[in-house]
Amino acid sequence: MTDNFKPPIKTRTTQELLDIVGSPKKWNRDAVYLAKYELSNRNVDTSEIDKAIKLSELKEEEERLQKANKSYQITDFLFTPKRTILELLFTWELKKDGYTLKAKQQRTFRITLISVIIFVYLIKYIQESL
């Protein structure tokens, strides 16, 4: 198997190789294979590889929990109102992407926003017809 990666897998530090082996979902299958092979050539103890895998799993779990607990804040509406409102109205995959709390908030906010938009439109329509 050829090493077409930049920088080549062989030239990377042992820690970089452990990071590659520790998180195979984020890397190309060939890169993981070459990293394992290179670690073997460098006589890196398998306990180091197992430790890297465990650390990567813990980090992924922490990231997953952070996503799940992320919510809309007042500052989102103050500093980026257009983006926040567009996200509330038109983003459909928050829960699928792991943003559980944001998805719950979105349901409530979406109903409220749509109601306000309809109410404002009706008021405007009534005023124009008078």
Side-chain angles (χ1 to χ4, degrees), residues 20-102:
I20 293 170
V21 171
S23 51
K25 293 176 189 170
K26 296 180 181 178
W27 287 89
N28 178 306
R29 184 176 44 107
D30 295 338
V32 174
Y33 175 80
L34 289 169
K36 284 181 181 179
Y37 182 76
E38 185 60 29
L39 287 169
S40 173
N41 284 345
R42 295 182 188 182
N43 297 321
V44 175
D45 190 19
T46 55
S47 65
E48 288 293 318
I49 296 170
D50 293 339
K51 184 178 167 183
I53 291 169
K54 291 283 185 202
L55 284 173
S56 176
E57 288 171 356
L58 287 172
K59 186 177 177 183
E60 286 176 15
E61 180 63 19
E62 183 180 326
E63 289 172 0
R64 189 191 64 74
L65 285 172
Q66 283 178 345
K67 270 184 160 181
N69 294 324
K70 189 169 177 131
S71 65
Y72 290 106
Q73 306 292 322
I74 293 292
T75 54
D76 295 334
F77 293 97
L78 293 175
F79 298 126
T80 57
K82 288 180 184 176
R83 188 188 69 75
T84 304
I85 290 171
L86 287 174
E87 183 177 298
L88 285 168
L89 290 174
F90 300 111
T91 302
W92 296 100
E93 301 197 358
L94 286 174
K95 190 171 184 176
K96 182 180 171 187
D97 292 339
Y99 294 99
T100 312
L101 188 54
K102 267 189 163 186

Side-chain angles (χ1 to χ4, degrees), residues 89 107-123:
L89 290 174
R107 278 183 294 225
T108 305
F109 286 143
R110 185 178 281 158
I111 291 168
T112 305
L113 277 171
I114 290 172
S115 299
V116 167
I117 290 168
I118 290 172
F119 180 74
V120 168
Y121 179 76
L122 285 174
I123 295 295

